[in-house]
Amino acid sequence: MDKGSWKHSLLLAVVLASTYAEASFSWHMDDFIQAVKQVEDGVPGLGPVAVLKRLRHAAGLNDALIQYFLRAAESGGAEMDVSLLSFVTKAVHHRVTEENQEEGVVLTPDGTTVALTPLLLGLEAGFLSKTKDRVRGLLKLTFTKDLESHPLSHHPLSHHLGPDGCWDNVSSPQVFTLLDQPGVLTTAQINGGMDGFILGTEIAFPSTSGRPLKLSGILTEYYCHNLEVGGVDVAPRLISRRRRENFRELGVPSITARQVVKSVEKQRRVMALKKMDSKTKKQLMTLVKEGVKEFVQEYLECPPIIPRCMWGAKPYKGTPTNLTLPLPFLYIHHTATPSDPCLTFQQCSADMRSMQRFHQDDRGWDDIGYSFVAGSDGNIYEGRGWLQRGAHTLGHNSVGFGVSFIGDYTSRLPSQHAMGLVRDQLASCAVGGGRLEANFTLQGHRQVVNTSCPGDTFYNEITGWEHFGEVKK
């Protein structure tokens, strides 16, 4: 083989390897963890910090702010093969395209989507921390890093954060499309930021004995924990399903707008940018004040809500009737079928599709009857949502939302975590968002007329919820 043919064959092999890698991997956290394992296996004995630096180097994350807090982006050993490098670069590099497709995000096993950049930066900051007060640069690297680069005029005060989005395929996700125009930070960036902050803090000051030896192990423990029969009630503290409660417990909601603005000013100095004038600083303060308020309301007071497109909902039949908000009632149900609690995003999604088929095909309704449905996997699932009238409580559908727990609870109770999602978070979310009246009434719907049925325990357990007799559409 002559020299020219050899070079041609080598180039073809590289192209085929790259094409194969892109076809074999999806944008799922499981696949990203497998890529991390390949990086670890490629250089035996490579520690988590070195692996994080290699990932950061591959993604080109090496601006002045990152160098200031995380040191130079050294590759940490031999270069990755071309296929692995291509996957890591696309997986970590974050951007939103003109078609509203968000890149640099992955679908996690719990059904939520996270941006990898703030997650990985938070982890690295945690490993490098040597102080005993707060992890150096953690807030800046996970949340405020992108604030300065967004023109303030492009973000009206009514839309700072979000939105969430949907994958083209939850089994092998390839394209993630936002449900609306992006704010300063998308939901995936906020999820990644919270995870990076939580894990960075935990790694810096572990509550258990020692730190995990491998980055792949840290990610697996956090994102891939399989729930047992008791659901989240008996799950470890440090898992992604507990993201919002862990973030609240770190005291982060107390962060003020002034702290965030100071953080942006700090990063401008580090990056040798021009100092903000008083007008720009005032604009930023207004933006951040509204953003912090929105963040607390939508991401800490509200539970994680899985959009219809993520659980595979069929379209509404006909023309929906909009509700007039706020409403005075919240009606609580539990399903007879499915009778068992769902413990995974996949099973809960299948149960949602099953109920929608039953309501549309067997009962002839326009859609699944409930406004929202609570799984035992740590999520709330969107039914007809906040705006459309449901079919859950005969004669009362126009004055209240209907929320059902997946499972038959005539002789047992849902998990405490699932009940808390509805009683404490969804209700508070509805009031804070102007969907429920502040003095709304909670009422429970029994599945049978007999007033002595064991199912009364379900409603009695949730203090203050009144019984509401058998109701149909």
Side-chain angles (χ1 to χ4, degrees):
M1 181 183 294
D2 60 34
K3 189 174 182 180
S5 299
W6 180 85
K7 287 185 176 180
H8 178 76
S9 299
L10 179 60
L11 177 61
L12 179 62
V14 168
V15 171
L16 289 175
S18 178
T19 303
Y20 172 76
E22 292 184 20
S24 301
F25 284 102
S26 70
W27 304 124
H28 195 284
M29 179 59 78
D30 290 344
D31 287 317
F32 181 71
I33 292 174
Q34 288 301 315
V36 172
K37 288 181 179 177
Q38 288 187 35
V39 175
E40 293 169 338
D41 294 343
V43 184
L46 204 63
V49 174
V51 173
L52 285 161
K53 284 192 174 186
R54 295 201 75 197
L55 297 174
R56 179 157 55 86
H57 177 80
L61 296 175
N62 195 31
D63 59 35
L65 184 74
I66 291 175
Q67 288 193 51
Y68 179 81
F69 287 113
L70 300 182
R71 306 166 191 168
E74 301 163 355
S75 61
E79 290 295 330
M80 303 179 201
D81 69 71
V82 65
S83 59
L84 183 58
L85 178 64
S86 174
F87 174 78
V88 169
T89 300
K90 291 183 179 180
V92 179
H93 181 70
H94 183 270
R95 75 178 186 125
V96 177
T97 70
E98 293 182 356
E99 294 77 26
N100 253 22
Q101 293 176 358
E102 188 173 11
E103 300 175 351
V105 299
V106 296
L107 174 64
T108 68
D110 65 21
T112 57
T113 298
V114 302
L116 290 173
T117 292
L119 166 65
L120 298 177
L121 293 179
L123 280 162
E124 191 170 348
F127 275 111
L128 294 176
S129 176
K130 294 181 180 179
T131 63
K132 292 188 177 181
D133 47 4
R134 63 181 60 182
V135 184
R136 186 170 180 262
L138 192 54
L139 175 64
K140 300 172 182 64
L141 293 169
T142 55
F143 278 103
T144 67
K145 181 178 182 297
D146 296 322
L147 279 181
E148 190 280 326
S149 62
H150 287 76
L152 302 182
S153 60
H154 291 182
H155 299 284
L157 297 183
S158 60
H159 189 62
H160 295 94
L161 305 176
D164 205 344
C166 283
W167 290 94
D168 56 334
N169 186 313
V170 296
S171 298
S172 181
Q174 301 290 340
V175 179
F176 185 71
T177 305
L178 296 175
L179 295 171
D180 200 350
Q181 291 297 313
V184 177
L185 296 174
T186 66
T187 294
Q189 286 178 290
I190 291 170
N191 287 339
M194 285 194 281
D195 290 346
F197 202 104
I198 292 165
L199 290 172
T201 302
E202 178 68 20
I203 286 168
F205 313 109
S207 58
T208 57
S209 57
R211 298 171 174 173
L213 296 179
K214 290 183 176 291
L215 177 61
S216 59
I218 296 171
L219 297 175
T220 299
E221 288 180 9
Y222 186 73
Y223 289 108
C224 305
H225 177 79
N226 293 321
L227 294 179
E228 300 175 359
V229 175
V232 182
D233 287 359
V234 297
R237 176 185 61 85
L238 201 66
I239 58 173
S240 60
R241 289 179 175 88
R242 295 187 183 273
R243 173 186 296 119
R244 299 188 183 201
E245 62 191 78
N246 282 329
F247 199 72
R248 286 195 302 268
E249 289 175 4
L250 288 173
V252 181
S254 63
I255 290 175
T256 65
R258 189 175 299 278
Q259 287 175 292
V260 176
V261 171
K262 285 184 177 180
S263 177
V264 174
E265 290 179 314
K266 171 71 173 179
Q267 73 184 56
R268 288 182 70 87
R269 290 195 297 271
V270 169
M271 299 179 75
L273 298 174
K274 183 180 178 181
K275 185 177 180 181
M276 286 188 291
D277 57 36
S278 58
K279 181 180 178 180
T280 303
K281 187 174 179 180
K282 186 176 180 180
Q283 279 185 308
L284 180 61
M285 179 64 77
T286 301
L287 177 76
V288 170
K289 281 183 178 178
E290 293 295 324
V292 169
K293 181 179 178 181
E294 181 183 341
F295 172 74
V296 172
Q297 163 65 20
E298 295 297 325
Y299 295 95
L300 297 183
E301 293 183 2
C302 292
I305 298 177
I306 302 296
R308 289 170 60 89
C309 51
M310 282 295 289
W311 58 261
K314 291 183 179 178
Y316 189 99
K317 292 183 178 180
T319 303
T321 301
N322 289 335
L323 293 164
T324 301
L325 305 179
L327 303 182
F329 291 94
L330 182 61
Y331 300 110
I332 306 302
H333 305 246
H334 61 104
T335 64
T337 304
S339 59
D340 293 325
C342 59
L343 298 174
T344 66
F345 162 66
Q346 291 78 8
Q347 185 57 54
C348 292
S349 296
D351 288 346
M352 291 294 292
R353 294 191 296 271
S354 175
M355 285 187 287
Q356 186 187 41
R357 283 194 301 270
F358 175 68
H359 288 177
Q360 287 185 322
D361 300 342
D362 290 32
R363 291 193 170 180
W365 298 355
D366 297 327
D367 198 358
I368 188 172
Y370 307 117
S371 307
F372 296 94
V373 177
S376 294
D377 64 331
N379 292 321
I380 298 290
Y381 289 78
E382 180 186 23
R384 298 204 189 185
W386 297 119
L387 302 179
Q388 297 179 7
R389 188 174 71 188
H392 47 80
T393 312
L394 181 63
H396 298 76
N397 292 315
S398 63
V399 296
F401 297 107
V403 181
S404 186
F405 289 80
I406 292 180
D408 183 351
Y409 297 108
T410 55
S411 59
R412 57 179 169 174
L413 292 173
S415 68
Q416 292 295 319
H417 189 273
M419 289 194 289
L421 282 179
V422 175
R423 177 187 58 209
D424 303 326
Q425 296 181 46
L426 189 66
S428 175
C429 178
V431 172
R435 298 131 179 167
L436 270 178
E437 295 177 357
N439 59 343
F440 73 95
T441 301
L442 292 151
Q443 292 191 321
H445 159 230
R446 287 195 302 274
Q447 299 300 99
V448 294
V449 177
N450 181 2
T451 57
S452 64
C453 70
D456 287 351
T457 306
F458 168 45
Y459 302 111
N460 291 335
E461 179 71 14
I462 307 176
T463 306
W465 289 19
E466 302 175 10
H467 297 170
F468 196 84
E470 184 183 24
V471 270
K472 301 176 182 177
K473 181 184 176 186

